[in-house]
Amino acid sequence: GATLKRSETSSRAVALQSYWFDDILVSTLGWRNDQFENYDAGQAMQDFRGSRQVGSDVYQLPTTPDIDTEGDTFSWGLVAHTPQNVKDNLPGGMDLSIHYSESENFAPSAVARSPYGGFFNPPSGTTQDYGATLSLFDNKIVARMTWYETIQQNLFDNRLVGPYLWFFYQVPQQVYNNNPTADVLAANFELPVQAIQDAYRWNFITNPDGSIAIDGESIGAGDIIQAVSEGFEMDVTANLTRNWRLSLNAAQQEAVRTGTAQTGIDEVNRLAAAWLGNAAQGDLLENNNNPVRGRISQQFALVQNALASDGQKANELREWRINLVTNYTFAKESPLKGFGVGGALRYQSKSAIGNELRTDPELGVIPDISKPFWGPDDVKVDTWFSYRTKIFSDIDWILQLN
């Protein structure tokens, strides 16, 4: 179907960097302001034939934005270098710097829809990192190490978009559209609360035969979670000779999600109890003419699995990533002047690709998140050959075969 949207983002930023005590200490301060407006016309209305009306005279953007948000973020950091009189006495051309920083983040354009209408607050968070940079042999070998923790709020949990759509729109729609209205009313079929009906833009349609159907819109509503990520990053660059360069990058990360289904779980539980606990409601038919209880159990299991992962490490993330890259360029005095050769080894640790199944007495066969199936470690090897020369006095020509 047609969509009609417009968004506007306005940002302002100020940064200040200062040097103290003969450049031994470097400080940074930053401030940023973001303003975001979003206008959404929603789904076009239907005429009596069921066609969407998208003419410019009837399908227009609202005059008031459905999202109008603003936020300020601050950041600061310090870097301390080794004083020159100390560095002059260190062995092996050594140098050392330490760093620490704290920063805030705010993503006004990444807001998520609430199943109760409107939008959640924009994602925001804080990051704290610290570490050191060590160089040896007058910067021929440089290693930078950083430890960090990031706390994020109001992150969109897209795992619940599908289940919420079924519970809050598609199950009632299919029940009303595939069963005699008298049977639906006789079963006292439970409906979501009015705020959810309004959010999904429900419209009760009386057909010529007197039956009632439901029309609405898939609005992409989900829920929000909080996440805490901790990790370590290391970058090492080594100029082993004038022509040979080696670099190593390694990163380790873990993430834990909390607050799963905090907005919609009470209503999901209420509807599931009514639909699955009452045979007359669960036996009503969905589009494929099967009892709707099967669909409800399937979607309820997805919600329960998401809840079971609350507070646990996100297994779908690869914990380790390591890249080793080397490149050698032949010297100008060599018969192979201009030629180069290089290679890389890239490693990523295993990640969860699924789960074993278990039988739940109420939900049937569902995934068991405590028993993941692990995908293999990912290892890739790259090689390349290059040639560089001048084709004009001021133009370099580089040819590389990977």
Side-chain angles (χ1 to χ4, degrees):
T3 59
L4 182 60
K5 301 179 181 180
R6 188 178 86 237
S7 61
E8 300 176 5
T9 302
S10 175
S11 300
R12 295 174 293 168
V14 175
L16 173 66
Q17 187 173 59
S18 304
Y19 297 84
W20 309 84
F21 311 115
D22 295 327
D23 299 344
I24 293 175
L25 184 66
V26 181
S27 64
T28 57
L29 292 172
W31 168 83
R32 177 179 173 130
N33 173 269
D34 292 284
Q35 298 175 334
F36 178 75
E37 291 183 350
N38 185 78
Y39 300 80
D40 188 350
Q43 187 166 294
M45 297 296 293
Q46 290 179 303
D47 62 12
F48 67 94
R49 295 165 297 187
S51 300
R52 300 289 178 183
Q53 301 301 291
V54 295
S56 59
D57 57 331
V58 294
Y59 191 41
Q60 300 175 347
L61 290 171
T63 56
T64 302
D66 49 2
I67 304 175
D68 186 357
T69 186
E70 178 181 2
D72 295 311
T73 55
F74 298 89
S75 62
W76 68 272
L78 293 173
V79 179
H81 299 293
T82 303
Q84 187 63 48
N85 60 342
V86 175
K87 186 166 62 173
D88 290 341
N89 294 291
L90 293 176
M94 183 187 299
D95 192 10
L96 177 67
S97 299
I98 58 175
H99 60 269
Y100 178 89
S101 68
E102 294 184 4
S103 60
E104 300 173 339
N105 61 73
F106 175 68
S109 62
V111 292
R113 285 186 179 273
S114 167
Y116 283 88
F119 294 82
F120 295 108
N121 290 331
S124 62
T126 58
T127 296
Q128 178 188 71
D129 68 75
Y130 59 92
T133 300
L134 174 67
S135 64
L136 300 171
F137 310 117
D138 297 322
N139 288 324
K140 287 185 178 180
I141 299 177
V142 179
R144 179 180 173 88
M145 297 155 288
T146 300
W147 290 261
Y148 67 87
E149 180 186 64
T150 297
I151 302 173
Q152 297 172 289
Q153 308 285 340
N154 303 325
L155 293 177
F156 184 50
D157 189 356
N158 58 13
R159 298 173 299 171
L160 297 174
V161 173
Y164 281 8
L165 179 61
W166 278 104
F167 271 89
F168 299 153
Y169 172 50
Q170 288 185 329
V171 165
Q173 181 202 40
Q174 293 191 16
V175 164
Y176 267 83
N177 294 1
N178 289 281
N179 298 272
T181 301
D183 292 351
V184 178
L185 297 178
N188 196 25
F189 187 76
E190 195 72 31
L191 296 178
V193 297
Q194 187 63 47
I196 289 178
Q197 295 181 30
D198 294 342
Y200 284 81
R201 296 164 185 170
W202 281 31
N203 182 27
F204 288 91
I205 301 171
T206 302
N207 296 314
D209 62 0
S211 63
I212 298 175
I214 293 176
D215 181 41
E217 183 177 341
S218 173
I219 62 173
D223 219 314
I224 52 174
I225 54 174
Q226 291 76 50
V228 177
S229 301
E230 295 181 345
F232 165 76
E233 296 178 351
M234 179 177 67
D235 292 286
V236 180
T237 301
N239 297 294
L240 301 177
T241 70
R242 189 175 65 176
N243 305 96
W244 184 16
R245 183 182 179 92
L246 182 72
S247 64
L248 171 68
N249 169 264
Q252 181 266 339
Q253 63 173 346
E254 291 182 352
V256 176
R257 294 181 293 236
T258 57
T260 302
Q262 57 189 272
T263 305
I265 187 59
D266 289 343
E267 186 66 2
V268 167
N269 286 338
R270 185 184 73 84
L271 293 172
W275 295 341
L276 297 177
N278 185 317
Q281 296 189 32
D283 287 342
L284 293 169
L285 303 179
E286 60 172 332
N287 280 356
N288 58 13
N289 289 324
N290 289 326
V292 73
R293 70 171 61 255
R295 180 74 65 182
I296 297 167
S297 296
Q298 176 197 57
Q299 297 301 315
F300 192 49
L302 295 177
V303 176
Q304 296 303 309
N305 283 338
L307 287 169
S309 69
D310 200 76
Q312 298 189 10
K313 288 195 303 183
N315 287 331
E316 68 273 16
L317 293 179
R318 297 184 183 270
E319 183 177 356
W320 281 97
R321 301 174 189 270
I322 301 174
N323 300 307
L324 179 65
V325 182
T326 186
N327 195 68
Y328 184 83
T329 303
F330 289 91
K332 295 180 179 180
E333 301 79 16
S334 167
L336 296 176
K337 171 187 175 182
F339 285 94
V341 60
L345 177 65
R346 309 183 193 278
Y347 167 81
Q348 297 183 94
S349 61
K350 64 183 181 181
S351 64
I353 58 175
N355 300 90
E356 294 185 24
L357 299 178
R358 65 180 178 88
T359 301
D360 184 276
E362 296 182 359
L363 303 177
V365 179
I366 62 174
D368 185 349
I369 68 162
S370 67
K371 298 179 180 179
F373 288 120
W374 293 99
D377 294 343
D378 182 56
V379 180
K380 292 183 174 64
V381 178
D382 304 332
T383 58
W384 56 84
F385 302 91
S386 63
Y387 178 70
R388 178 172 185 166
T389 188
K390 284 187 176 293
I391 56 175
F392 295 104
S393 60
D394 58 348
I395 297 178
D396 285 335
W397 182 66
I398 301 174
L399 177 66
Q400 182 166 307
L401 175 64
N402 297 310

